[in-house]
Amino acid sequence: MGKDCSEPVSQIHVKPGMTVKELVDAMGMAGAYNGGALSRAVRIYEAMLRDERTTKFFGLAGAMVPAGMGGIVADLITSGHIDVLVSTGANLTHDIIEAIGCRHFHGTASCDDVELRHDEINRIYDVYLPNMAFEHFEKFIQEAFTALEPESCISISGLLTHIGRRTKNGILHTAAKNGIPVYCPAVQDSMVGLQYWLFSQNNHVTVDAFADMPALMDRCFNAEKAGALLVGGGVPKNFILQSMLMTPNGFDYAVQLTGDRPDLGGLSGATLDEARSWGKITEEAQAVTVYADATITLPLLVAAVMERMHHG
Amino acid sequence: MGKDCSEPVSQIHVKPGMTVKELVDAMGMAGAYNGGALSRAVRIYEAMLRDERTTKFFGLAGAMVPAGMGGIVADLITSGHIDVLVSTGANLTHDIIEAIGCRHFHGTASCDDVELRHDEINRIYDVYLPNMAFEHFEKFIQEAFTALEPESCISISGLLTHIGRRTKNGILHTAAKNGIPVYCPAVQDSMVGLQYWLFSQNNHVTVDAFADMPALMDRCFNAEKAGALLVGGGVPKNFILQSMLMTPNGFDYAVQLTGDRPDLGGLSGATLDEARSWGKITEEAQAVTVYADATITLPLLVAAVMERMHHG
Amino acid sequence: MGKDCSEPVSQIHVKPGMTVKELVDAMGMAGAYNGGALSRAVRIYEAMLRDERTTKFFGLAGAMVPAGMGGIVADLITSGHIDVLVSTGANLTHDIIEAIGCRHFHGTASCDDVELRHDEINRIYDVYLPNMAFEHFEKFIQEAFTALEPESCISISGLLTHIGRRTKNGILHTAAKNGIPVYCPAVQDSMVGLQYWLFSQNNHVTVDAFADMPALMDRCFNAEKAGALLVGGGVPKNFILQSMLMTPNGFDYAVQLTGDRPDLGGLSGATLDEARSWGKITEEAQAVTVYADATITLPLLVAAVMERMHHG
Amino acid sequence: MGKDCSEPVSQIHVKPGMTVKELVDAMGMAGAYNGGALSRAVRIYEAMLRDERTTKFFGLAGAMVPAGMGGIVADLITSGHIDVLVSTGANLTHDIIEAIGCRHFHGTASCDDVELRHDEINRIYDVYLPNMAFEHFEKFIQEAFTALEPESCISISGLLTHIGRRTKNGILHTAAKNGIPVYCPAVQDSMVGLQYWLFSQNNHVTVDAFADMPALMDRCFNAEKAGALLVGGGVPKNFILQSMLMTPNGFDYAVQLTGDRPDLGGLSGATLDEARSWGKITEEAQAVTVYADATITLPLLVAAVMERMHHG
């Protein structure tokens, strides 16, 4: 990427059996639009993961677990590639649902939603989730809540670790096992939150909205360097980016995978350049946004980076 | 809107001096795409506001206050058209900034963000906000926090009402004055939240993440009918829609103004039909999504509805 | 719009009975995102229409006539606000359909397209068009073609004027009546084109693809100034913008109403700044893009500009 | 894809060295949103290419050649996977530019377009093209036009074949070499067209706009089955889809890669289901749209399909 004419576009040629890294390398030789951005994202994410001084944040927004992206997140935790995870409550709800043995199903967006309602199926674009899953979810999570110490005061991440210790797989389980904090500022805004309201009608355990801030802020102040992979926008993106605002530093690496657009003004679609004006990312930060559906770009990005790191 | 061919499309003719309602009526006679959807949104929002049995929710996401949309929200509260407001923390931060006399400015998205950084200007697409505003903000809000009762435990809406009582105009002020609760599940995810972390380093007032749920749930259970105007998606949209999930009912009216798209699977762009499968909105609910920038559609919608209501 | 902080954002307040101009003025005082862009578009389009030295181009892409936008286009021709019209073939096909008394109908996008097929209804998002219309269209247009001089060679705009002279209203009729050329470079790509293929099986009238170029190029070379209102992208946008490329000048005014996005690289969503690098628009051109559905922004823009021009 | 809950979503796990087909298979096991659509597109395009009764159309819109996608198109022609190519004029212009030895370059969309203008660089989002290229282009193409038979009348595809025979590589060269017709209904709307206007000032060769229709229509009537891969929308998509309208049949296979959206009503973003109502594709057609930037999805799709076909 430059302001002169020194690096020519190469016409892409694909061949049978090429690996994901080879394909992304070809996209990088072409180098234009979001295909070019994706190849830059691979190089930046690789540099971020290889840089041992870097505290690595991961933002998870959008209905990614119902779309099968949770496996990638859990694997990244296991591999030590996530130090801090920030998620929407919905992704954690669906992670728990899968972790207790319920499943999401391939459906279609061209359907009659009233009929689905009668069939007790909840729709997430073209993914179906039977109501039954929420009955199992309620049973599991109420038991988990009941095991909390009465009259105590806990943090949101503490609540999520408590849940993760009681599941056998998935994001929350893997995070708890590996001691990775999961932040979910809007935990009330999810089935976890609605169930907690049910629980709190007869129990008294206070969830302190700000109890997670000191540990997060300490981490940000102590981070030699910081990097972020942001899937979608929403609270996770903003909460991660703002976390460095109080420190003298900013993010040194940032990759954003989103289908939103910048001209609407919302943070979800905002460019990472905009984040430079705020100091959320440093002036010299390596940063790129790939505008496309993360169900395509996240697997592509991670597979290509894993292949690059495996080779040396 | 029908499945047969009975209502013809009228070609639009505009004339000098037509009112907003007359323009939207013409869009409705044409009736296609998002122009047609906007005219249906006007009719649904009018019906919702006229229906006295309806508890009226308003969801505010996206950087709407920096774009001047806060005035409309405050006016709707004053007019009694909002019973429950759910907002992102960012909108409330910018509302406070305006309420204490600082301003946002017309800028441009075609700029050098590193230069802006050096000029101490923060960018929100084509809106500029000088850093100085955050200094005033810090002073104001730390004073507000200091006035909280030490060692107490408060709800997020309680904290926001406390702030609103100390401002002289804007959304929080108007809501506090009119006794309208403002919910902000992810309050930590904002400058309000970062300032609260600063405050909490030397003070101890617990903000209970779930303390707002009982009053909200009571309201939902007691609502004869429910309606929602959703500007943007994010936490406000989901938190509002899920709030009726625990009750036997759902939303009877729903209007969504968003620039997001459904095929990415995220809730922000999801159709309201999808919400029917979950029971978030009723099977018979009047509901429509207008896909466009809310800085265009929100003023249009509200001006047209105010004109219709004024006339009878 | 500036690079400093001198023009503050005003919070919008709407009131019953405000005119479209008043609403757009309020959007301009707010001034952000696409609402702000729309208010700038109004000022630019007004300046363009008031500037008597300006040759005024209009680009019509997207299925605008089925959505009722054809009336606005015809009225602009009648008012002398369009000197050169460039359209897709589809818009002209639907214009003819309406001009011969057939209608498009309000439908819904949530439907079973196979059922529609069985009901002989063609769908354009949420607009329905009965097959019957195409039968009337075929009868009308074959008669029109038959009236062409055998063995002659005509231009595309000549063919369209010939058709416009045989209709009683609509875009083609109004253009023919007012001597405004209608260019449609891809006329083959439409029902008009398919019908012409039918006609040409037994008749021989050559349509010269390039016969329109000399008159258009003369016009471009002779234009003291040039301005363009571009609805959608596609061939009309590119054909208009490229038309000044061969001259020493470029467009002095340009307003684009589109829902496309720039990061995909296609010309339809490209910014007008990009057009400056090519010299399609001048370095000093007043130009703005409003990213939103033109079924909302076109009526808004034209109503506001007509009101401004009416007042002086 | 089903209306019941029988096929569960699998969480994705990626591993170093996985091939593109393996990655897309994993996306298919997850199966949601555009990642799921991409995996279905791979299966449909494979079925289409393997089905020897199928006439295979390829639509090329958007600035794909400047983004390096031309290599894939040329290779597909060489492999016999394209029978009919429909392109915008711009893609062919850029194909010729590359074929005569000029290059496009990696640039950036965050730049000053007036500066670029002074540097004689034309921008296509983040691709740069020096003006010099157009000087070489003019020289080449005027020589090519001069070699046309004076006073003759040719078709657009004939003109393009004539050019393709004079280049040494690229799409037009490969198509000419393999006898594949290239249709470009709006050839005037491109640098090829502007140069032809220049040529026609002193020469007289008529390009008959409709001369390509009989051969195309014969092909459509004779096609036992028909399939289409549509990159972007615009004229190529519509011209291909409408081509079967006059026959008793429709497309049996259709894959669309686009970043446009359906709710704006334009054909570019329209769903393929909508095309069923028109009979453009058959009621039983295998069809899918992947909503994302084709610089990502086209290489992915073709690499995965080539790998599947290579294996048997």
Side-chain angles (χ1 to χ4, degrees):
Chain A
M1 177 175 46
K3 300 223 171 187
D4 56 2
C5 288
S6 57
E7 295 176 50
V9 169
S10 295
Q11 297 296 319
I12 288 187
H13 301 278
V14 300
K15 57 178 204 290
M18 69 198 304
T19 65
V20 174
K21 172 192 165 295
E22 288 167 352
L23 182 75
V24 174
D25 284 349
M27 288 183 189
M29 297 290 283
Y33 319 158
N34 290 294
L38 180 68
S39 79
R40 290 194 294 281
V42 164
R43 291 198 298 267
I44 293 172
Y45 194 48
E46 183 194 9
M48 167 180 152
L49 294 189
R50 284 187 184 280
D51 188 339
E52 292 179 0
R53 297 162 301 173
T54 299
T55 302
K56 298 175 283 287
F57 292 72
F58 191 105
L60 185 64
M64 289 289 109
V65 171
M69 300 298 128
I72 294 177
V73 181
D75 289 351
L76 285 171
I77 295 172
T78 300
S79 307
H81 295 321
I82 297 179
D83 295 320
V84 176
L85 178 64
V86 182
S87 176
T88 60
N91 273 310
L92 302 181
T93 298
H94 293 283
D95 176 64
I96 295 167
I97 283 171
E98 294 251 320
I100 61 174
C102 299
R103 304 298 293 266
H104 298 81
F105 294 90
H106 298 181
T108 169
S110 306
C111 61
D112 182 326
D113 285 291
V114 171
E115 250 178 52
L116 283 186
R117 172 79 175 148
H118 294 178
D119 293 345
E120 305 201 323
I121 293 173
N122 304 289
R123 182 166 73 86
I124 303 162
Y125 194 60
D126 60 2
V127 172
Y128 288 171
L129 179 60
N131 263 348
M132 182 68 71
F134 286 114
E135 296 172 24
H136 292 287
F137 174 79
E138 175 161 342
K139 187 165 177 300
F140 166 81
I141 206 152
Q142 289 295 339
E143 284 176 12
F145 290 157
T146 305
L148 290 167
E149 192 181 347
E151 306 300 323
S152 63
C153 180
I154 56 172
S155 68
I156 295 168
S157 75
L159 180 67
L160 296 172
T161 300
H162 174 82
I163 296 168
R165 286 202 186 112
R166 302 173 75 92
T167 50
K168 296 225 170 53
N169 57 61
I171 295 172
L172 281 179
H173 169 77
T174 311
K177 189 175 153 191
N178 288 274
I180 300 303
V182 180
Y183 297 122
C184 179
V187 67
Q188 315 95 303
D189 174 35
S190 65
M191 287 291 177
V192 174
L194 288 176
Q195 288 294 335
Y196 198 86
W197 161 73
L198 267 183
F199 167 73
S200 67
Q201 291 188 299
N202 299 305
N203 297 271
H204 193 246
V205 179
T206 303
V207 178
D208 181 338
F210 286 92
D212 282 323
M213 297 299 280
L216 172 62
M217 285 297 139
D218 285 353
R219 192 128 198 184
C220 290
F221 274 97
N222 293 331
E224 199 172 346
K225 299 181 85 173
L229 175 54
L230 305 166
V231 176
V235 167
K237 178 185 175 186
N238 193 60
F239 191 68
I240 288 174
L241 290 185
Q242 77 166 21
S243 71
M244 293 299 286
L245 261 189
M246 300 311 247
T247 77
N249 305 313
F251 281 92
D252 302 283
Y253 305 97
V255 169
Q256 176 180 16
L257 310 178
T258 184
D260 296 335
R261 52 189 298 159
D263 60 275
L264 303 172
L267 188 85
S268 294
T271 65
L272 291 171
D273 273 337
E274 183 176 310
R276 285 183 217 268
S277 76
W278 293 76
K280 292 168 180 173
I281 74 173
T282 68
E283 295 179 12
E284 309 78 16
Q286 297 183 52
V288 72
T289 300
V290 188
Y291 290 106
D293 188 328
T295 58
I296 295 175
T297 52
L298 181 65
L300 255 178
L301 171 83
V302 175
V305 170
M306 292 303 105
E307 186 174 350
R308 292 175 79 97
M309 296 189 69
H310 190 71
H311 286 314
Chain B
M1 177 175 45
K3 300 225 173 187
D4 57 2
C5 288
S6 57
E7 297 175 49
V9 168
S10 296
Q11 296 297 318
I12 287 187
H13 302 277
V14 300
K15 57 176 203 292
M18 67 198 306
T19 64
V20 175
K21 173 193 165 294
E22 288 167 352
L23 182 75
V24 175
D25 284 350
M27 287 184 190
M29 298 289 283
Y33 319 161
N34 290 293
L38 180 69
S39 79
R40 290 193 294 280
V42 164
R43 291 199 298 270
I44 293 171
Y45 193 48
E46 183 194 8
M48 168 180 150
L49 294 189
R50 285 187 185 279
D51 188 339
E52 293 177 0
R53 296 162 301 172
T54 298
T55 301
K56 297 175 283 288
F57 292 72
F58 191 105
L60 185 65
M64 289 291 109
V65 171
M69 300 299 127
I72 294 176
V73 181
D75 290 350
L76 285 171
I77 294 171
T78 300
S79 307
H81 296 321
I82 298 180
D83 295 319
V84 176
L85 178 64
V86 182
S87 176
T88 60
N91 274 309
L92 301 181
T93 297
H94 293 283
D95 176 64
I96 296 168
I97 282 171
E98 295 251 320
I100 61 174
C102 299
R103 304 296 294 266
H104 298 80
F105 294 89
H106 298 182
T108 168
S110 303
C111 61
D112 182 326
D113 285 292
V114 171
E115 252 178 50
L116 283 185
R117 171 79 177 148
H118 293 179
D119 293 344
E120 303 200 325
I121 293 173
N122 304 290
R123 182 166 72 86
I124 303 161
Y125 193 62
D126 59 3
V127 172
Y128 288 170
L129 180 61
N131 262 347
M132 182 68 70
F134 286 115
E135 296 172 25
H136 291 287
F137 174 80
E138 175 161 342
K139 185 164 177 301
F140 166 81
I141 207 154
Q142 289 297 337
E143 283 175 13
F145 290 158
T146 305
L148 290 167
E149 190 180 349
E151 305 300 323
S152 63
C153 180
I154 56 173
S155 67
I156 295 169
S157 75
L159 179 67
L160 296 171
T161 299
H162 174 81
I163 295 169
R165 288 205 185 108
R166 302 173 74 92
T167 50
K168 297 220 170 54
N169 57 61
I171 295 172
L172 281 179
H173 169 79
T174 311
K177 189 175 153 191
N178 289 273
I180 300 303
V182 180
Y183 297 122
C184 181
V187 68
Q188 315 96 304
D189 174 36
S190 67
M191 287 290 178
V192 175
L194 288 176
Q195 288 294 335
Y196 199 86
W197 160 75
L198 267 183
F199 168 73
S200 67
Q201 289 188 301
N202 298 306
N203 297 271
H204 193 245
V205 178
T206 302
V207 178
D208 181 337
F210 286 92
D212 282 323
M213 298 299 280
L216 172 61
M217 286 296 139
D218 284 355
R219 193 128 198 185
C220 291
F221 274 96
N222 294 332
E224 199 172 346
K225 297 181 84 175
L229 174 54
L230 305 166
V231 176
V235 166
K237 177 183 176 187
N238 193 60
F239 191 69
I240 288 174
L241 290 185
Q242 79 167 20
S243 71
M244 294 299 285
L245 261 189
M246 301 310 250
T247 77
N249 305 314
F251 282 91
D252 301 284
Y253 305 97
V255 169
Q256 174 180 18
L257 309 179
T258 184
D260 295 336
R261 52 190 298 160
D263 60 274
L264 303 172
L267 189 84
S268 294
T271 64
L272 291 171
D273 273 337
E274 184 176 310
R276 285 183 217 267
S277 75
W278 293 78
K280 293 168 179 172
I281 73 173
T282 67
E283 294 179 14
E284 310 78 16
Q286 297 183 50
V288 72
T289 300
V290 188
Y291 291 105
D293 189 328
T295 59
I296 295 175
T297 52
L298 181 64
L300 255 179
L301 171 82
V302 175
V305 170
M306 291 305 105
E307 187 174 349
R308 293 175 79 96
M309 295 189 70
H310 189 71
H311 285 313
Chain C
M1 175 176 46
K3 300 223 171 187
D4 55 3
C5 287
S6 57
E7 296 176 49
V9 169
S10 296
Q11 297 296 319
I12 289 187
H13 301 277
V14 301
K15 57 178 202 292
M18 69 198 303
T19 66
V20 175
K21 174 194 164 294
E22 289 167 351
L23 182 76
V24 174
D25 284 349
M27 287 183 190
M29 298 289 284
Y33 319 159
N34 290 293
L38 180 69
S39 79
R40 291 194 293 280
V42 164
R43 292 198 299 267
I44 294 172
Y45 193 48
E46 182 194 10
M48 167 179 150
L49 294 189
R50 285 187 184 277
D51 187 339
E52 292 179 1
R53 299 162 298 174
T54 298
T55 302
K56 297 175 283 289
F57 292 73
F58 191 106
L60 186 64
M64 289 290 109
V65 172
M69 301 298 127
I72 294 177
V73 181
D75 290 350
L76 285 171
I77 294 171
T78 300
S79 308
H81 296 320
I82 297 178
D83 296 319
V84 176
L85 177 64
V86 183
S87 176
T88 60
N91 274 309
L92 302 180
T93 298
H94 293 283
D95 176 64
I96 296 167
I97 282 171
E98 294 251 321
I100 60 176
C102 299
R103 303 297 293 266
H104 298 80
F105 294 90
H106 298 181
T108 169
S110 303
C111 61
D112 181 327
D113 286 291
V114 171
E115 253 178 49
L116 284 185
R117 173 78 177 149
H118 293 177
D119 292 344
E120 303 199 327
I121 293 173
N122 304 290
R123 182 167 72 86
I124 302 161
Y125 193 61
D126 58 2
V127 172
Y128 288 170
L129 179 60
N131 263 347
M132 181 67 72
F134 286 115
E135 294 172 26
H136 292 287
F137 174 81
E138 175 162 342
K139 187 164 177 301
F140 165 81
I141 206 152
Q142 289 296 338
E143 283 176 13
F145 291 157
T146 304
L148 290 167
E149 191 181 348
E151 305 300 322
S152 63
C153 180
I154 56 172
S155 67
I156 295 168
S157 74
L159 179 67
L160 295 172
T161 299
H162 173 82
I163 296 168
R165 287 204 186 110
R166 302 173 76 93
T167 49
K168 296 221 170 56
N169 56 62
I171 295 172
L172 282 178
H173 169 78
T174 310
K177 189 176 154 190
N178 289 274
I180 301 303
V182 180
Y183 297 122
C184 180
V187 68
Q188 316 95 303
D189 174 36
S190 66
M191 286 291 178
V192 175
L194 288 175
Q195 288 293 335
Y196 198 87
W197 159 75
L198 267 183
F199 167 74
S200 67
Q201 289 189 300
N202 298 306
N203 298 272
H204 193 245
V205 178
T206 302
V207 178
D208 181 337
F210 287 91
D212 283 322
M213 297 299 280
L216 172 61
M217 286 295 138
D218 284 354
R219 193 130 200 183
C220 291
F221 274 97
N222 294 332
E224 199 171 345
K225 297 181 86 174
L229 174 54
L230 305 166
V231 176
V235 167
K237 177 183 176 186
N238 193 59
F239 191 68
I240 287 174
L241 290 185
Q242 79 166 20
S243 71
M244 294 299 285
L245 261 189
M246 298 314 246
T247 78
N249 305 314
F251 282 91
D252 301 284
Y253 305 97
V255 169
Q256 176 179 15
L257 309 178
T258 183
D260 295 336
R261 51 190 299 159
D263 59 275
L264 303 172
L267 189 84
S268 293
T271 65
L272 292 171
D273 274 335
E274 183 176 310
R276 285 183 217 267
S277 76
W278 292 77
K280 293 167 180 173
I281 74 172
T282 67
E283 295 180 13
E284 308 78 16
Q286 296 184 51
V288 71
T289 300
V290 188
Y291 290 106
D293 189 329
T295 59
I296 295 175
T297 52
L298 181 64
L300 254 179
L301 172 83
V302 175
V305 170
M306 292 304 105
E307 187 174 349
R308 293 176 77 97
M309 295 189 70
H310 190 72
H311 286 312
Chain D
M1 177 174 45
K3 301 224 172 187
D4 55 4
C5 288
S6 55
E7 294 176 51
V9 169
S10 296
Q11 296 296 318
I12 288 187
H13 302 277
V14 300
K15 56 177 204 292
M18 68 198 304
T19 65
V20 175
K21 173 193 164 294
E22 288 167 351
L23 182 75
V24 174
D25 284 350
M27 286 183 190
M29 298 289 284
Y33 319 160
N34 291 291
L38 180 69
S39 78
R40 290 194 293 280
V42 165
R43 292 198 297 268
I44 293 172
Y45 194 48
E46 183 193 8
M48 168 181 151
L49 294 189
R50 284 186 184 280
D51 186 340
E52 292 179 1
R53 298 161 301 173
T54 298
T55 302
K56 297 175 283 287
F57 293 73
F58 191 106
L60 186 64
M64 289 290 109
V65 171
M69 300 299 126
I72 294 177
V73 181
D75 290 349
L76 285 171
I77 295 171
T78 302
S79 308
H81 295 321
I82 298 178
D83 295 319
V84 176
L85 178 65
V86 181
S87 176
T88 60
N91 274 309
L92 302 180
T93 298
H94 294 283
D95 177 62
I96 295 167
I97 282 172
E98 294 251 321
I100 62 176
C102 299
R103 305 296 293 268
H104 299 79
F105 294 90
H106 299 180
T108 169
S110 304
C111 60
D112 182 327
D113 285 292
V114 171
E115 252 178 51
L116 283 185
R117 172 76 176 148
H118 294 178
D119 292 345
E120 305 200 322
I121 292 173
N122 304 290
R123 183 166 73 86
I124 304 161
Y125 194 60
D126 60 2
V127 172
Y128 288 171
L129 179 61
N131 263 347
M132 181 68 70
F134 286 115
E135 296 172 25
H136 291 287
F137 174 79
E138 175 162 343
K139 185 164 179 299
F140 165 82
I141 206 153
Q142 288 297 339
E143 283 177 13
F145 290 157
T146 306
L148 291 167
E149 191 180 348
E151 305 302 322
S152 63
C153 179
I154 57 172
S155 67
I156 295 169
S157 75
L159 179 67
L160 295 172
T161 300
H162 174 81
I163 296 169
R165 286 203 185 111
R166 301 172 76 91
T167 50
K168 296 223 168 55
N169 56 61
I171 296 172
L172 281 178
H173 169 79
T174 310
K177 189 174 153 191
N178 289 274
I180 300 304
V182 180
Y183 297 122
C184 179
V187 68
Q188 317 96 303
D189 174 34
S190 66
M191 287 290 177
V192 174
L194 288 176
Q195 289 294 336
Y196 198 86
W197 161 73
L198 267 182
F199 168 74
S200 67
Q201 290 187 300
N202 298 307
N203 297 272
H204 194 244
V205 178
T206 303
V207 178
D208 181 339
F210 287 92
D212 283 322
M213 297 300 280
L216 172 61
M217 286 297 140
D218 284 354
R219 193 129 198 185
C220 291
F221 274 96
N222 294 331
E224 198 171 346
K225 298 181 85 174
L229 175 54
L230 305 166
V231 176
V235 167
K237 177 183 175 186
N238 194 58
F239 191 69
I240 287 174
L241 291 185
Q242 79 166 20
S243 71
M244 294 299 287
L245 263 188
M246 300 310 249
T247 76
N249 305 315
F251 283 91
D252 301 284
Y253 305 97
V255 169
Q256 176 179 14
L257 309 179
T258 184
D260 296 337
R261 52 189 300 159
D263 59 275
L264 303 171
L267 189 83
S268 293
T271 64
L272 293 171
D273 272 337
E274 183 175 311
R276 284 183 218 267
S277 75
W278 292 78
K280 293 168 180 171
I281 73 172
T282 66
E283 296 180 12
E284 309 79 15
Q286 298 182 50
V288 72
T289 300
V290 188
Y291 291 106
D293 188 329
T295 59
I296 295 175
T297 52
L298 181 65
L300 253 179
L301 172 83
V302 176
V305 170
M306 290 305 106
E307 186 174 348
R308 293 175 77 97
M309 295 188 71
H310 190 72
H311 286 315

